[in-house]
């Protein structure tokens, strides 16, 4: 094997088989099997999924830039608007389980068409909203569309790329983060009472068009596309295969009976809280320290870029090295950068503040790559959409923390203790990674792993 070539992994990301970059791993040529099924490269499925993720990303990453104009234009207090973001996270998260179950059994086509209508229509409707309850309703309906797109896109990578799950989920989730980087400057330049309606309407039309195109392109592999007869590893063994194929496929109910799932769930809540706290409040946090408006704009603009690039880089790292070690190091650094962010704000250093925002997001944002990859390793790929959708409901806890709870903590304790608490949650999640191991009975317990 050539140095630096990605390889198929065991349950913790340790690499045993070989992949020369063409998708051939452990005797199974995944790329060729996919091309035979699709009639073209499987990477086009990732491109379609990534385009849809980029289109719906403003719901999460543009909110902190548009909310002040909405507050002023509709004469609504900013704390009340904080609940809009919490509703978004709740509906975006909870919609994924029914969407994932539907997709696992019936495919992504009709589901993503519905997502286009909800996500595009929700943003267009915001341009005409006149009261708080309309904001709640429209953002929540749009959030359901975002949730559908998210679970479909992430699990498109899991289903078509069992050999490159980290990289390909990284591509999709990178698009979800970085896709809004082009939109944020446009919003910040026009986030006035007079202009924000046109901004919202234009973004909504873009969401609608791109997601409709994706709905016609995406498809799922047939259940027998990886029938391994005639192309195993030479002795009938599965040692070189990706863990999501080599191990047992768990149903959602079976997954819920394992302690590993509940530890992953708690870790997800902690990391989502730390991550969303910065995303939802970075502009107001910078303003709290009296930093220049340029610092807030740069932070809001570059934040999704750092989040997106990190998902690609660290996602690829989990395909090459120990998935658990990369995950633990990333979460621990995410916590440390959040502590540094508070210190930079206290010092009034705008340049360092922006740098620590980027570092904090670079190491927390890949949680959306690490968790679906590790979950597929432990519980198999057959039910990956439904299983990951259940785990993703943990983001509700993160959304409530970053919106409603954070608003209460800021009012009671101030910004610094609130952000330091986010850093502590990330540090705790990083430490918890070292406890994880494959579930008993998964068929992966004996896989060699230096991560355990």
């Amino acid at each position: 094997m050539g140095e630096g070539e990605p390889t198929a992994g065991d349950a913790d990301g340790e690499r045993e088989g070989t992949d020369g970059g063409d998708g051939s791993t452990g005797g199974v040529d995944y790329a060729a099997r996919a091309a035979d099924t699709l009639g073209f490269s499987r990477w086009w499925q990732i491109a379609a999924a990534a385009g849809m993720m980029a289109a719906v990303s403003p719901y999460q990453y543009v909110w902190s830039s548009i909310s002040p104009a909405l507050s002023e234009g509709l004469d609504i207090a900013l704390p009340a608007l904080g609940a809009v973001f919490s509703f978004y996270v709740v509906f975006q998260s909870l919609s994924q389980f029914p969407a994932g179950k539907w997709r696992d059994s019936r495919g992504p086509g009709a589901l993503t068409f519905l997502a286009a209508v909800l996500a595009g229509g929700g943003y267009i409707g915001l341009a005409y909203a006149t009261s708080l309850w309309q904001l709640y309703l429209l953002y929540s309906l749009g959030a359901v569309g975002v949730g559908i797109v998210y679970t479909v896109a992430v699990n498109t990578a899991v289903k078509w790329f069992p050999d490159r799950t980290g990289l390909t989920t990284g591509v999709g989730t990178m698009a979800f983060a970085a896709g809004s980087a082009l939109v944020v400057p446009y919003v910040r330049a026009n986030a006035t009472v007079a202009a924000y309606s046109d901004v919202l309407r234009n973004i909504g039309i873009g969401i609608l068009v791109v997601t409709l195109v994706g709905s016609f392109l995406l498809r799922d592999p047939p259940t027998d596309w990886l029938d391994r007869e005639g192309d195993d590893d030479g002795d009938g063994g599965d040692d070189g295969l990706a863990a999501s194929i080599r191990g047992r496929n768990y149903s959602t109910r079976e997954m819920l009976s394992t302690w590993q799932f509940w530890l992953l769930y708690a870790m997800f809540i902690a990391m989502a809280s730390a991550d969303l706290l910065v995303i939802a409040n970075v502009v107001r946090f910078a303003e709290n320290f009296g930093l220049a408006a340029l610092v807030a704009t740069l932070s809001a603009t570059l934040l999704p870029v750092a989040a997106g690039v990190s998902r690609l880089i660290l996602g690829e790292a989990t395909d090459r090295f120990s998935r658990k070690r990369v995950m633990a190091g990333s979460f621990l650094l995410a916590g440390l950068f959040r502590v540094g962010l508070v210190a930079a704000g206290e010092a009034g250093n705008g340049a360092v503040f922006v740098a620590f925002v980027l570092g904090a997001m670079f190491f927390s944002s890949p949680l959306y790559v690490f968790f679906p990859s590790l979950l597929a390793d432990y519980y198999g790929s057959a039910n990956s959409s439904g299983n990951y959708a259940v785990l993703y409901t943990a983001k509700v806890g993160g959304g409530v923390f970053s919106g409603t709870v954070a608003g209460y903590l800021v009012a009671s304790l101030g910004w610094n203790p609130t952000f330091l608490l986010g850093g502590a949650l990330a540090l705790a999640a990083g430490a918890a990674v070292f406890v994880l191991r494959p579930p008993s009975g998964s068929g992966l317990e004996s896989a060699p792993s230096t991560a355990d």
Side-chain angles (χ1 to χ4, degrees):
M1 181 181 69
E3 183 177 355
E5 292 176 350
T7 56
D10 68 11
D12 291 317
E14 295 302 322
R15 308 312 177 199
E16 294 184 301
T18 61
D19 176 358
D22 61 355
S24 178
T25 308
V28 177
D29 192 341
Y30 299 97
R33 289 298 183 94
D36 288 344
T37 300
L38 290 167
F40 49 84
S41 172
R42 58 184 175 163
W43 282 100
W44 285 106
Q45 294 293 293
I46 300 303
M52 295 172 65
M53 290 281 263
V56 300
S57 65
Y59 273 91
Q60 180 158 313
Y61 288 94
V62 174
W63 175 249
S64 67
S65 296
I66 199 66
S67 57
L70 283 169
S71 174
E72 182 181 354
L74 299 180
D75 193 24
I76 298 171
L78 277 172
L81 283 183
V84 176
F85 191 78
S86 292
F87 275 121
Y88 157 76
V89 175
V90 169
F91 283 96
Q92 190 247 1
S93 303
L94 296 184
S95 63
Q96 292 195 37
F97 179 67
K101 296 295 287 186
W102 174 285
R103 187 265 177 86
D104 281 336
S105 62
R106 304 189 186 187
L111 201 59
T112 48
F113 182 88
L114 174 63
V117 174
L118 290 173
Y123 235 86
I124 293 171
L126 289 175
Y128 304 98
T130 57
S131 61
L132 182 60
W133 74 265
Q134 291 173 350
L135 293 181
Y136 288 161
L137 177 63
L138 291 165
Y139 223 78
S140 297
L141 288 174
V144 173
V146 176
I148 294 172
V149 168
Y150 196 98
T151 192
V152 167
V154 167
N155 288 285
T156 291
V158 171
K159 291 179 182 298
W160 284 110
F161 285 82
D163 52 324
R164 306 294 295 279
T165 304
L167 173 63
T168 51
T169 55
V171 171
T173 56
M174 175 192 71
F176 186 68
S180 60
L182 297 176
V183 179
V184 169
Y186 168 61
V187 173
R188 293 282 294 172
N190 296 280
T192 64
V193 174
Y196 78 82
S197 293
D198 289 339
V199 170
L200 293 170
R201 184 171 54 252
N202 292 340
I203 293 175
I205 292 172
I207 293 172
L208 178 65
V209 171
V210 174
T211 313
L212 281 176
V213 172
S215 71
F216 289 105
L217 294 176
L218 286 184
R219 65 187 75 172
D220 279 351
T223 56
D224 61 350
W225 81 290
L226 286 178
D227 178 6
R228 297 195 295 273
E229 182 179 355
D231 72 71
D232 60 21
D233 62 4
D235 60 4
D238 292 342
D239 289 344
L241 294 174
S244 62
I245 296 175
R246 191 172 73 249
R248 171 187 169 193
N249 285 307
Y250 283 71
S251 69
T252 299
R253 179 173 295 182
E254 291 170 334
M255 177 185 71
L256 291 173
S257 69
T258 66
W259 65 262
Q260 285 90 342
F261 171 79
W262 294 107
L263 180 57
L264 286 168
Y265 198 87
M267 291 165 58
F268 201 119
I269 291 176
M271 284 309 304
S273 296
D275 190 66
L276 292 170
L277 179 65
V278 177
I279 292 171
N281 298 287
V282 66
V283 171
R284 284 186 287 166
F285 191 49
E287 293 172 347
N288 168 72
F289 292 113
L291 298 173
L294 178 61
V295 172
T297 298
L298 283 174
S299 296
T301 302
L302 297 178
L303 181 153
V305 176
V309 171
S310 71
R311 296 178 191 192
L312 189 62
I313 293 174
L314 295 183
E316 171 71 355
T318 65
D319 286 333
R320 294 174 177 266
F321 309 108
S322 165
R323 204 180 309 280
K324 279 175 53 176
R325 288 180 177 175
V326 174
M327 188 175 182
S330 182
F331 290 172
L332 292 172
L333 287 170
L336 293 175
F337 269 100
R338 277 162 173 76
V339 174
L341 181 61
V342 174
E346 282 288 344
N349 192 318
V352 175
F353 182 90
V354 173
F356 274 90
V357 167
L358 300 185
M361 294 309 301
F362 185 92
F363 290 109
S364 68
S365 191
L367 77 101
Y368 300 107
V369 176
F370 299 148
F371 283 104
S373 299
L374 192 61
L375 198 75
D377 284 349
Y378 281 8
Y379 299 105
S381 61
N383 301 307
S384 61
S385 296
N387 287 348
Y388 181 56
V390 174
L391 178 62
Y392 197 86
T393 61
K395 189 179 177 183
V396 172
V400 172
F401 178 85
S402 62
T404 307
V405 174
Y408 173 79
L409 291 175
V410 169
S412 303
L413 303 175
W415 281 105
N416 288 1
T418 303
F419 267 65
L420 288 173
L421 178 57
L425 289 172
L427 291 171
V433 175
F434 296 102
V435 180
L436 287 170
R437 61 178 181 271
S440 176
S442 64
L444 302 170
E445 301 94 330
S446 62
S449 170
T450 59
D452 286 335

